[in-house]
Amino acid sequence: MYNEKVLEIFANPRNVGEIENADGVGTVGNASCGDIMKVYLKIENDVIVDAKFKTFGCAAAIASSSVATEMIKGKTIEEALKIRNADVVEQLEGLPPQKIHCSVLAEEAIAAAIENYRSKQK
Ligand code: FES
């Protein structure tokens, strides 16, 4: 079902874990499959200097978390918010149609973590 790239990343995901005293934390879930993704961000001057994740979910969700956290490192929060699930799928060189929602979780978890960061700035 999965391509080689997804399987390779699933077997060796980057950025697994949590960041102590993270500046932004976002947790999202998909009600239909029950999978949960939590993203931790370290942010300095609105630039994401570190990102980690914990995902309780399928191989596509874990691979999506890995590439999404890689993609946002070094980006400003504005740039990170522009990353769509389609960009995550492209990095993964494709996902099966029934697994597209797993990449949506990554987009949503990043947005939730940034929202959490912004709410703390106020
Ligand atoms: Fe729901 Fe993958 S099956 S996140």
Side-chain angles (χ1 to χ4, degrees), residues 33 35 58 61 99 101-102 105:
C33 65
D35 290 355
C58 69
K99 290 287 175 181
H101 79 270
C102 319
L105 274 187

Side-chain angles (χ1 to χ4, degrees), residues 1-17:
M1 175 166 77
Y2 293 120
N3 67 35
E4 290 280 316
K5 179 135 190 200
V6 173
L7 291 173
E8 194 279 319
I9 297 172
F10 170 60
N12 303 288
R14 282 64 157 184
N15 309 318
V16 176

Side-chain angles (χ1 to χ4, degrees), residues 22-119:
D23 299 300
V25 182
T27 307
V28 294
N30 180 289
S32 60
C33 65
D35 290 355
I36 296 169
M37 188 181 293
K38 190 165 186 178
V39 166
Y40 302 79
L41 302 177
K42 192 89 204 144
I43 300 172
E44 286 171 12
N45 299 321
D46 281 356
V47 174
I48 297 168
V49 294
D50 198 10
K52 291 203 185 295
F53 74 90
K54 277 187 169 173
T55 294
F56 177 80
C58 69
I62 289 165
S64 293
S65 310
S66 177
V67 297
T69 48
E70 284 289 275
M71 285 164 81
I72 59 173
K73 276 202 234 174
K75 290 207 164 50
T76 65
I77 55 177
E78 287 303 328
E79 289 167 340
L81 284 171
K82 290 192 185 122
I83 292 171
R84 293 286 163 263
N85 78 295
D87 304 316
V88 173
V89 174
E90 193 182 314
Q91 284 293 315
L92 292 170
E93 296 172 5
L95 280 176
Q98 71 274 26
K99 290 287 175 181
I100 294 295
H101 79 270
C102 319
S103 64
V104 175
L105 274 187
E107 176 188 323
E108 291 177 348
I110 290 165
I114 291 173
E115 177 60 35
N116 176 248
Y117 163 72
R118 282 181 164 164
S119 70

